[in-house]
Amino acid sequence: MNQEVELLSRIRIVLVATRHPGNIGSAARAMRNMGLNDLALVEPHRFPDPEATALASGADSILEGATIYPTLADAVADCEHVIATTARVRYVSIPFSEPRECVARLAAGEHPGKVAIVFGRERTGLFNEELDHCREAVAIPTDPEFGSMNLAAAVQIMAYELRLAAGAKLPELPEHQPVPQGQMEHFFGHLEKVLIATTFIDPAAPRFIMRRMRRMYGRAAPDSHEINILRGMLTSVEEALGLKQTTKTFPHLRAGAATENDEP
Ligand code: SAH
């Protein structure tokens, strides 16, 4: 198992006595986005519920796989480590830290078994008797005068930090591959020919402009797709000048026909 999957697969998100089923759905969506899939619900007010399904926006597998427990103690009984999340660190008697620091320790293997991250009720958070089942707490730094976040937003932040700590990255973009010099020479030859045809370049003294153009296109280092576009543009100029037979027709651009962009 790679490190990313290893950490994410041993995290359980525990939601305690959630009142709004929409929050359960949004939390499920956040989990699925970040690659978490173990959801435990302690005494949810309404579940399953169409509002939860609607806000999960397709993360149905998380909701279907959710386990419902009568108490927090039951939900975390098989966990090696239990972390509470709270907006009010002042009232917490267990050690607390910020999300990034906390998940870095998890990623480093401090608790190699199953780890529960516990979220409280929308209005009243976690009760002290529930905090007694947790070994540490995490507080997301917020404006102290308005520190209590939406439950699903708090789940989202924890899930995101876990994903980053697990080493997840965006998929790599294909590497930029500039065309080889031979193709650049074909392009420069074509460019020079067209610019002579338009009289932009004097065939008796083409050097200066072409040298600057070589420098500029050399800096741009076009790939084969871009070189094809440039060559196509040059060909279209040759066709417009009547130097080449065009194969393309745009019926709406027929001489005399109005186009959408014409002024009335
Ligand atoms: N008035 C309650 C707010 C509960 S918000 C209280 O102060 O505890 C619902 C849940 O979202 C919280 O129990 C906690 O799990 C999570 N949460 C909200 N804001 C948070 C924050 N700033 N840091 C960590 N968790 C937070």
Side-chain angles (χ1 to χ4, degrees):
M1 224 190 294
N2 67 28
Q3 195 211 351
E4 181 184 321
V5 175
E6 197 279 323
L7 174 62
L8 300 178
S9 69
R10 58 193 179 81
I11 302 294
R12 175 175 301 161
I13 299 295
V14 184
L15 305 184
V16 177
T18 309
R19 180 166 288 278
H20 298 292
N23 276 336
I24 299 177
S26 298
R29 180 183 188 173
M31 289 175 64
R32 179 89 166 77
N33 284 147
M34 297 299 135
L36 297 172
N37 51 49
D38 184 351
L39 175 62
L41 304 171
V42 178
E43 286 201 303
H45 282 235
R46 285 189 354 241
F47 188 81
D49 187 275
E51 220 178 307
T53 308
L55 278 145
S57 292
D60 300 32
S61 61
I62 308 284
L63 295 180
E64 283 156 18
T67 311
I68 300 179
Y69 294 92
T71 67
L72 176 59
D74 293 312
V76 300
D78 61 338
C79 293
E80 181 197 320
H81 192 63
V82 185
I83 303 171
T85 58
T86 175
R88 297 177 300 172
V89 280
R90 269 180 301 164
Y91 304 101
V92 183
S93 55
I94 44 181
F96 67 86
S97 62
E98 296 188 1
R100 198 156 293 179
E101 194 254 294
C102 172
V103 300
R105 281 187 279 111
L106 298 181
E110 193 176 273
H111 304 283
K114 193 91 185 159
V115 175
I117 304 185
V118 185
F119 295 82
R121 297 159 185 79
E122 287 94 334
R123 261 183 242 152
T124 46
L126 292 168
F127 299 152
N128 282 333
E129 305 78 62
E130 289 159 345
L131 285 170
D132 288 341
H133 296 280
C134 305
R135 305 197 192 173
E136 66 171 300
V138 165
I140 301 164
T142 47
D143 184 333
E145 282 167 26
F146 198 76
S148 173
M149 298 173 65
N150 166 262
L151 167 62
V155 172
Q156 176 75 78
I157 287 186
M158 290 305 296
Y160 175 64
E161 288 295 335
L162 283 158
R163 186 166 186 81
L164 287 193
K169 293 238 163 35
L170 285 177
E172 301 230 335
L173 289 175
E175 222 175 287
H176 175 68
Q177 277 187 328
V179 293
Q181 188 59 23
Q183 275 191 54
M184 291 297 278
E185 294 302 340
H186 289 309
F187 164 65
F188 292 132
H190 196 171
L191 179 64
E192 184 171 353
K193 192 171 107 194
V194 169
L195 295 181
I196 289 171
T198 64
T199 74
F200 186 79
I201 284 181
D202 175 359
R207 285 290 151 225
F208 174 71
I209 288 171
M210 284 313 299
R211 193 158 288 139
R212 293 307 285 254
M213 289 299 97
R214 279 175 176 275
R215 208 166 87 176
M216 187 187 91
Y217 284 105
R219 248 186 351 252
D223 63 18
S224 62
H225 192 72
E226 291 158 345
I227 248 341
N228 285 342
I229 293 172
L230 291 168
R231 297 291 298 269
M233 285 161 68
L234 294 175
T235 303
S236 76
V237 173
E238 291 175 306
E239 289 167 352
L241 292 175
L243 300 173
K244 256 192 185 163
Q245 194 80 40
T246 178
T247 49
K248 275 181 279 176
T249 51
F250 295 124
H252 62 285
L253 290 181
R254 270 194 327 270
T259 74
E260 274 177 35
N261 298 325
D262 280 350
E263 296 291 322

